[in-house]
Amino acid sequence: PTPDNPPARPNSAYQPCRLRVRGIEFVCVFVYTNAMKDKVHGFDWDDGNWPKCAKHGVSKAEIEFVIRHAQFVVDDPHPVEKRYRTALKANTGRYVFVAFALRYKEGLNLIRPISARYMHDKEIKSYETQMARIGFR
């Protein structure tokens, strides 16, 4: 597997869902499963991505929690590399929206967070409604 060709998801069951964030509606591409988690070796943090995530007050621990426990992942359109988005209520109790990429580096599959921020009340309501509709809690 490479960032452009992520690991197969044989155990994922596609369930259509929609999430509205900042007026943009996202349609789920796949449900994040243990099959994918087993293929990822860790996170790729450096001086390029950490400041962009930290400026919104979200901690590394919250970002990693959200990605590790994601119930869905959607495509994030980008002209250069394949990127994804997810959202979840972190273990801190706050809802976090994360954009990330999968990178293949030195023989390892890594998750590189691109940006993260806390979700607004309207986004949280949309998230909770859609997750309940498709049976996730």
Side-chain angles (χ1 to χ4, degrees):
T2 66
D4 294 326
N5 184 18
R9 296 173 297 281
N11 298 325
S12 70
Y14 176 77
Q15 295 186 27
C17 69
R18 297 180 187 283
L19 175 65
R20 184 169 292 279
V21 178
R22 288 197 175 177
I24 301 170
E25 188 171 65
F26 300 99
V27 178
C28 289
V29 175
F30 60 85
V31 177
Y32 195 69
T33 67
N34 286 333
M36 182 177 176
K37 292 176 189 175
D38 291 342
K39 305 286 190 224
V40 174
H41 299 100
F43 290 83
D44 181 16
W45 290 108
D46 62 27
D47 291 340
N49 64 343
W50 172 235
K52 289 174 75 175
C53 294
K55 74 179 179 182
H56 297 291
V58 183
S59 71
K60 284 184 184 179
E62 286 175 304
I63 295 165
E64 291 182 9
F65 180 91
V66 167
I67 294 172
R68 287 178 206 249
H69 296 89
Q71 295 175 321
F72 74 93
V73 177
V74 297
D75 281 331
D76 180 30
H78 190 272
V80 177
E81 71 178 341
K82 185 78 172 159
R83 291 185 178 181
Y84 305 94
R85 297 178 186 181
T86 192
L88 186 72
K89 185 176 183 179
N91 54 347
T92 58
R94 297 199 61 187
Y95 287 81
V96 180
F97 175 81
V98 180
F100 65 96
L102 297 175
R103 298 270 175 95
Y104 188 73
K105 197 175 191 181
E106 299 175 9
L108 301 174
N109 291 310
L110 301 173
I111 295 173
R112 181 175 178 80
I114 305 297
S115 182
R117 65 172 176 78
Y118 294 114
M119 293 169 63
H120 304 291
D121 290 341
K122 193 172 182 180
E123 295 168 337
I124 293 168
K125 184 176 179 181
S126 173
Y127 170 85
E128 289 177 339
T129 300
Q130 294 306 317
M131 290 295 104
R133 187 180 69 78
I134 63 171
F136 285 114
R137 276 286 166 187

